[in-house]
Each structure stands twice: as C-alpha cells, then as structure tokens.
Amino acid sequence: MSETYAESAGKSLADRAAALDAADELGKVRAQFVLDDTVYLDGNSLGALPRSVPGRVEDVVRRQWGSLRIRSWDESGWWTAPERIGDRIAPLVGAAPGQIVVGDSTSVNVFKAVVGAVRLAGGGTDGGTDRGADGGALRGHRDEILVDATTFPTDGYIAASAARLTGCTLRPVAPDEVPDALSGRTAAVLLNHVDYRTGRLHDLPALTAAIREAGAVSIWDLCHSAGALPVGLDEHGVDLAVGCTYKYLNGGPGSPAYLYVRRDHQARFDSPLPGWNSHADPFGMTPDHVPADGALRGRVGTPDILSMLALEAALEVWDDVSIEAVRAKSLALTDFFLECVTAYVPGGAVESVTPADHGERGSQVALRCADAGAVMRRLIDQGVIGDFREPDILRFGFTPLYVGFGDAERAAGVLGRMF
C-alpha cells in the first residue's frame, strides 16, 4: 500500500527537523533547563526552570537568610539587587546600564509609568509638572491618554484608573491608528510591543517616533517581546517601558517585573508611589519624600528578595547568548511550525492569525479553530503544552533557548491528529 502524502511529508519534515536541530547554535543552551519529554510551547506564559535556580534559592534561604540573616542586606547584596538585576536585563531590551529597576508586578509598574508619563508631559490635574515631554514649555493642555485597544486587559484597567486619578480621558486606539489619533491633547501612549493574543509585533520605532513628534510620552509593555527579540529602547528613543520576567526571561512564577526610565527623563520622573525604597536617604526616615537619583526612584517598598534572586540566577543562561541569535531562531522555528501545520493539519481546520511577515511577528503562533479549548486540552493530554485564549485561539509560544525544530514538528503532527 502506497504511503499517504502526510506520511511522506512527515518523513521529510522529521528529517529536516533533525538536521536543523543538529546545526542549531543555541541547541546547547537547552541543557541548562529542567525539561521532560513533553513539547513545551507555553514559555510565553511561564518559562521553563533554569537548572541554576534551585541551588541558588537554597543558598539564599539556608545561608543568606538562615545564617547571615539581616547582614545579607549588605553582605549578600540584597539592597542593590533591584538595580543590579535591572542591569542584567538591560542588554536584552537594548538599554544602557542605570535605566532599569526590578521590583513589583507588571501591573504596579504600568501604573507608575502611566501616571509618571502624564506628569512628564505636564498633563492631567493631579499636580504634575507644567513642562512638556521634551523638557520645554507645555504646548496646550494635555488631558488624554491613548491605550492599545487590543491590550492585555490589566494594562487597560490600570490605564483607566490612572486616567481617573490624573483627570485625563482614556482613549482606546488600535496601534496602527495611533499616528492619526495623536494630538496636542495627548499626554501619554501605552502600547504592547507584541499582541498577547495573536503574536503580532507592532512597529515600535515608527510609533515611538510619532509619539515623540506629537510631544507625548511613550510607554511600551514588553512582556511578550523581552527575551524573544531585539527591542532597542535606547536606540529608538522610548521614554518608559515595563515588562514581566516570568515568560521569555524564565524568572519563575510571579517573578518581579521591571521599569525602564530613559536616562534623560530620570531627574523629572515623578512616581505616584514614592515609597521609602525610592528615597534619596531611605534610612533617614524623614517625613518628606526626596526621590533618589536615577532609575532608583522607580523603587517603592522592600524588594521581594527570594523571587528576585531566583530571577538573577535564571538570567545567567543569557551570559553567552545574543538576542539577535534568539530572534533568528525564533523566526525559523515559527516558519517551520507553520509549514508543518500546513502539511499535517487538514485544510480548513485551523487558520493562523499570526502575521506571516517576519517584521510583524513575535515569537508565538496563534491558530484559530473550532472548539479550541477542547482541542488544547487534548493536545496537553498528548504531551504538547500550549494554551487557549477565548474565544477560539490555540496559542503556541516558541522559546528559542530550549525549544527545538523537532518539538515544532512533533507538535504539528499531534495537532494534525486532532481533526
């Protein structure tokens, strides 16, 4: 009996996957993670565990906390961890040292950034500065915040609250409509670099330039791009940025987020959460808040040391890895996965909603299909871990540090058997 097209294609694609994995310069990094025989394509929700983390956490708990106790704030470097780890993240998002501080959740950092941006722009009615985003005199009253209409819900919720607190109007706008929506009223613009649902990569350089030209302040959410592709915060003149660390940066569940404040804004960045850790003299215990210099004014309260130092250990996997190599493999992986899906999945059963154009694609593939929730549950039962987004999206995240081409081929093969 002659073999079917799918069987023939399967042999060819499996052979190609093996050859691609053998030639993969990042393939050796996979050994630095704790993995099993499942195909893990959910690193865009929670990254895999780096092998260096358990031992580091044990040391932090047993020696630094258990033996040194309070001395560890100085002797183990706990006090400087937020900015030290920020400097570890900085090269991955294209930032020079001294502009990123780690701590709090993404939601809290979005709040700091949006309110801080309105104040930088001289907008709102909450007592912010009366200077413009470029430091010059304010041109007109800026009382509007633009927010990505396709944003992850929390960003929208936080932006709405920030708008109420600052006396601004919140205006949801699709990212590609931002240039036309900008005006002299615009104080701040909050956008996602990569759409969490579809994997669409938005044009950060062009949109940032348009926001700057309009005299407004840009805020980028990097949760679905940091660690997956080059960002270029300094190069493209981004004003403020936030991001989580538990996705492509593999920091662990609930690991602390980060806040980027462009160096030339730091002296005027007015955080709405001026905690004691952001004070110029935190142990002076003075009644008035005097903000620290630099990115440290983005700190709030006592750092969450256990999860922060787990993140620091996790970031060691990046020591000999370039973000450009990660991006090249990401695009090759997602291209290959889509090719395998075309070969294995019956025509019409799924539809990719992730852009085919490399310039518009993050590091995930989103497939629309009927009864997607049930399909994903069956995939997970058969050892392919992705996730489901309402109402009909199968989402597969490709983390190039530990996902290989064989994983992509196997996942597509299992998906094909769902229909």
Side-chain angles (χ1 to χ4, degrees), residues 128-326:
T129 176
D130 61 356
R131 309 300 289 177
D134 60 358
L138 183 66
R139 293 168 291 181
H141 182 58
R142 296 184 179 272
D143 61 356
E144 186 175 74
I145 299 170
L146 303 185
V147 64
D148 186 342
T150 61
T151 189
F152 187 77
T154 287
D155 285 20
Y157 305 154
I158 296 291
S161 178
R164 292 193 300 273
L165 288 168
T166 58
C168 288
T169 299
L170 185 69
R171 185 179 172 192
V173 179
D176 58 0
E177 297 173 356
V178 164
D180 291 333
L182 291 164
S183 72
R185 292 183 56 192
T186 309
V189 183
L190 172 62
L191 296 170
N192 288 261
H193 195 193
V194 173
D195 186 291
Y196 80 98
R197 187 182 291 105
T198 67
R200 177 178 290 277
L201 173 65
H202 298 303
D203 192 344
L204 181 148
L207 289 169
T208 300
I211 294 165
R212 182 170 57 249
E213 179 66 22
V217 177
S218 59
I219 311 155
W220 285 92
D221 182 328
L222 309 179
C223 285
H224 288 271
S225 59
L229 52 92
V231 177
L233 292 178
D234 288 353
E235 176 186 359
H236 301 303
V238 169
D239 296 311
L240 305 171
V242 301
C244 69
T245 61
Y246 50 79
K247 295 183 174 68
Y248 296 110
L249 298 181
N250 310 297
S255 57
Y258 56 90
L259 171 68
Y260 164 89
V261 181
R262 187 171 178 81
R263 192 177 307 281
D264 53 8
H265 290 321
Q266 289 176 358
R268 295 184 299 111
F269 180 73
D270 182 8
S271 173
L273 297 173
W276 77 288
N277 260 241
S278 63
H279 198 288
D281 182 14
F283 292 97
M285 304 301 171
T286 58
D288 297 323
H289 187 268
V290 179
D293 292 332
L296 272 65
R297 61 179 56 198
R299 293 174 61 154
V300 182
T302 305
D304 40 354
I305 291 299
L306 297 183
S307 59
M308 190 169 291
L309 297 186
L311 166 63
E312 186 173 33
L315 290 170
E316 292 175 1
V317 302
W318 292 93
D319 285 350
D320 298 312
V321 173
S322 76
I323 195 65
E324 290 76 18
V326 168

Side-chain angles (χ1 to χ4, degrees), residues 363-380:
S363 197
Q364 70 182 55
V365 173
L367 303 177
R368 176 176 289 127
C369 76
D371 205 12
V375 171
M376 182 53 69
R377 287 192 293 273
R378 297 205 308 274
L379 282 169
I380 292 170

Side-chain angles (χ1 to χ4, degrees), residues 40-48 246-250 385 397-399 402:
Y40 189 66
L41 301 181
D42 210 6
N44 54 333
S45 288
L46 177 64
Y246 50 79
K247 295 183 174 68
Y248 296 110
L249 298 181
N250 310 297
I385 314 297
F398 289 83
T399 305
Y402 54 78

